[in-house]
Amino acid sequence: MYQSLAALSTQRPRQAAWVHRRSHLQVIILVINWLLVLSALARPQWLEEPLAIEQQRRDLLVLVDISGSMNERDQTNQTRLEQVKKVLQTFATQRQGDRLGLIVFADKPYMQAPITGDNDVWQQLLFATRVGPAGRNTAMGDAIGLGLKHLQDSANQEKVMLVLTDGSDNRSLVPPREAAIVAAQRDVRIFTVAIGDDAENADIDTETLREVAEISGGQFYDARSAEALATLATDFAEAVPSEYSVAWYYPTRELYVYPMFIILTFSMGVALVSFIRQRRGGRL
């Protein structure tokens, strides 16, 4: 019958079209693929172990006098600057909840260490400080002014300065009292420290140091003895305890790549099976 129809139509039989019918397995794989696509679109995530992040809540600027008198040796046979460095090293280890900055001053103030949460780096910059390059005078008022400039953009609510000096302000363009008034207006507390041998350093202006601390809401420490200087870090910690808050961070791992990989694998498998079946059954 087929040959008769072909003869009547004057056409020669050629390779017939091959219709591929999906098997049950292919239908199952297709359904699984769609389910995997939906799973990938949902963006599943795996929560890792939570990480504690300490958030420092206070910016604390330390202002250190490096005028010529800081090179004098007191009863401990150490220079005053060496004694201050030793005390501030202990001080820094106790201020883990604070961001520390360091300003040194003599004829002019200089930012030695920008405000940072890395106390180890701060200590390295502290010990790199030397007497001499900044001059031999004392510009404490200008140093406070420089500190206020660096604190004005701070996001932390609490801002504190700790000023250590063995002399009297004799170089500032801005008097220390006026700088303390501006600090009080900006809610910056200033704690002042008088250092040096009491017997040989009677010319230090303790009155101004007291006034600066009182105006700004801070406190004055008379550390003109080795014993008082040694307890400075502890005394300051009682007045200004180191505080920090802890925030929990939950790292996540994206899991959508796994269903996408399975979809790709299944799709390649189905395409390969279809190609093989077509090659085998595509000729009459």
Side-chain angles (χ1 to χ4, degrees):
M1 182 66 178
Y2 177 77
Q3 296 295 336
S4 300
L5 291 173
L8 291 172
S9 63
T10 67
Q11 293 182 355
R12 296 180 57 187
R14 290 181 298 179
Q15 181 175 339
W18 180 72
V19 179
H20 171 62
R21 295 180 180 179
R22 292 189 178 92
S23 66
H24 294 297
L25 178 61
Q26 288 175 313
V27 172
I28 293 173
I29 292 176
L30 182 62
V31 172
I32 292 175
N33 275 358
W34 273 110
L35 293 176
L36 290 172
V37 168
L38 293 176
S39 298
L41 291 175
R43 289 197 64 181
Q45 295 177 332
W46 178 268
L47 287 179
E48 304 284 356
E49 291 294 326
L51 301 176
I53 302 177
E54 296 180 356
Q55 296 180 328
Q56 294 159 316
R57 302 173 57 182
R58 181 189 296 114
D59 284 347
L60 201 164
L61 266 177
V62 180
L63 282 60
V64 178
D65 186 349
I66 57 169
S67 60
S69 58
M70 290 293 288
N71 218 20
E72 296 181 8
R73 296 181 181 272
D74 294 326
Q75 296 177 356
T76 59
N77 201 30
Q78 292 180 315
T79 66
R80 291 171 184 170
L81 183 58
E82 289 173 345
Q83 296 178 59
V84 167
K85 289 180 179 180
K86 184 177 180 181
V87 170
L88 289 181
Q89 183 180 28
T90 303
F91 168 84
T93 59
Q94 298 177 358
R95 312 306 302 184
Q96 296 302 319
D98 300 332
R99 296 199 315 155
L100 299 179
L102 178 63
I103 291 178
V104 296
F105 62 94
D107 288 351
K108 292 182 180 180
Y110 300 92
M111 177 61 72
Q112 177 75 358
I115 296 174
T116 176
D118 193 333
N119 287 2
D120 292 334
V121 171
W122 186 88
Q123 292 181 52
Q124 292 176 13
L125 293 173
L126 168 68
F127 279 93
T129 303
R130 297 290 182 269
V131 172
R136 302 190 62 83
N137 294 292
T138 304
M140 184 178 70
D142 290 351
I144 295 174
L146 179 62
L148 292 174
K149 179 180 178 181
H150 282 273
L151 288 174
Q152 65 182 358
D153 296 327
S154 171
N156 285 339
Q157 293 183 350
E158 189 171 1
K159 305 163 190 176
V160 176
M161 288 189 200
L162 178 65
V163 183
L164 300 96
T165 180
D166 70 338
S168 303
D169 189 292
N170 59 3
R171 193 75 174 186
S172 292
L173 298 176
V174 179
R177 293 179 182 85
E178 294 185 14
I181 293 173
V182 176
Q185 294 172 348
R186 298 184 182 183
D187 296 324
V188 178
R189 292 189 294 165
I190 303 176
F191 292 76
T192 56
V193 183
I195 59 176
D197 192 336
D198 192 13
E200 299 179 4
N201 195 29
D203 293 334
I204 186 170
D205 190 358
T206 56
E207 180 181 352
T208 297
L209 293 177
R210 291 180 189 275
E211 289 183 4
V212 167
E214 182 179 353
I215 291 171
S216 62
Q219 188 171 335
F220 168 71
Y221 299 99
D222 192 343
R224 288 178 291 174
S225 68
E227 295 78 10
L229 188 60
T231 61
L232 175 63
T234 303
D235 295 339
F236 183 78
E238 292 178 358
V240 187
S242 180
E243 297 179 359
Y244 60 89
S245 58
V246 177
W248 293 95
Y249 169 67
Y250 293 85
T252 58
R253 183 175 54 179
E254 297 286 350
L255 301 179
Y256 71 89
V257 294
Y258 298 104
M260 292 300 297
F261 176 76
I262 297 174
I263 290 171
L264 180 62
T265 302
F266 279 175
S267 299
M268 292 179 64
V270 170
L272 180 62
V273 171
S274 299
F275 176 76
I276 294 174
R277 292 184 61 184
Q278 184 176 5
R279 295 289 293 178
R280 289 179 177 177
R283 297 179 182 276
L284 290 175

